[in-house]
Amino acid sequence: MTRRGAREAAVQIRMIDVPRATKPRRERTPTREERDESAISRVARSSRLSRELLARLRIRRQRGELDSEVWDDITRMLDQFIPGYSPRTTPPAPPTPAASRPASAMTLPDLIQAIDRLSSGLETGRIYDRDFATLGPALERLGNAWVRRTSR
């Protein structure tokens, strides 16, 4: 090649051998089950992720995105982590306004006893955080009525 380039007064021709690049191997895409298992393992190893998961579940329950059967399964599983603790029972649904007794039918001692039970339940944790959203409006109405009546 060199002689030919010199003989023809041309530019020297060089042969460059470019190695052929191998095609990249396609990585195997993990299945949904494998991705789920990996996510569950990360959450189980991290207390921060575990707390975040529980907080998100509570928020979804308060928004009504988790039906009661799923929520009952979750709370039943969580209750198994505390040895000697009896499973949590779902509090009964509040009675409909038509079925409740009128306020005049309740005596003052009955009302005081009900308020004491409510206070005790809140302090001891027998009324769960998940129930605050349901309980809040009723307590707010009670507080507002108390302030209106006593500030005259």
Side-chain angles (χ1 to χ4, degrees):
M1 293 280 175
T2 305
R3 283 184 266 170
R4 180 175 157 197
R7 187 177 50 224
E8 296 178 5
V11 178
Q12 178 181 357
I13 299 172
R14 277 199 232 156
M15 295 294 290
I16 299 174
D17 187 22
V18 178
R20 220 178 240 210
T22 59
K23 288 184 179 178
R25 289 175 125 181
R26 287 183 58 184
E27 287 189 29
R28 185 179 73 80
T29 305
T31 64
R32 180 184 177 112
E33 288 80 18
E34 290 169 332
R35 288 191 313 268
D36 290 348
E37 180 60 35
S38 173
I40 290 169
S41 295
R42 283 194 312 274
V43 170
R45 286 190 308 263
S46 167
S47 60
R48 179 186 61 83
L49 291 175
S50 297
R51 281 192 310 272
E52 192 174 317
L53 172 66
L54 292 173
R56 287 183 184 192
L57 286 173
R58 185 185 68 219
I59 290 167
R60 286 188 62 202
R61 174 63 176 160
Q62 288 171 345
R63 290 181 185 159
E65 296 172 7
L66 292 175
D67 64 4
S68 61
E69 184 176 311
V70 172
W71 184 250
D72 290 343
D73 287 345
I74 292 168
T75 54
R76 197 172 10 265
M77 288 175 173
L78 289 173
D79 286 335
Q80 292 174 0
F81 293 127
I82 305 170
Y85 184 76
S86 62
R88 208 177 291 192
T89 57
T90 305
T96 59
S100 64
R101 295 191 302 175
S104 60
M106 295 186 101
T107 63
L108 187 58
D110 291 338
L111 290 172
I112 292 171
Q113 186 179 17
I115 292 171
D116 285 343
R117 279 197 319 269
L118 176 62
S119 298
S120 174
L122 285 169
E123 288 177 2
T124 60
R126 289 186 180 164
I127 296 176
Y128 303 112
D129 293 354
R130 67 175 182 241
D131 299 324
F132 289 174
T134 306
L135 191 56
L139 290 176
E140 189 171 340
R141 286 191 305 273
L142 175 63
N144 292 337
W146 177 263
V147 168
R148 279 194 305 272
R149 264 318 276 276
T150 58
S151 63
R152 288 182 183 181

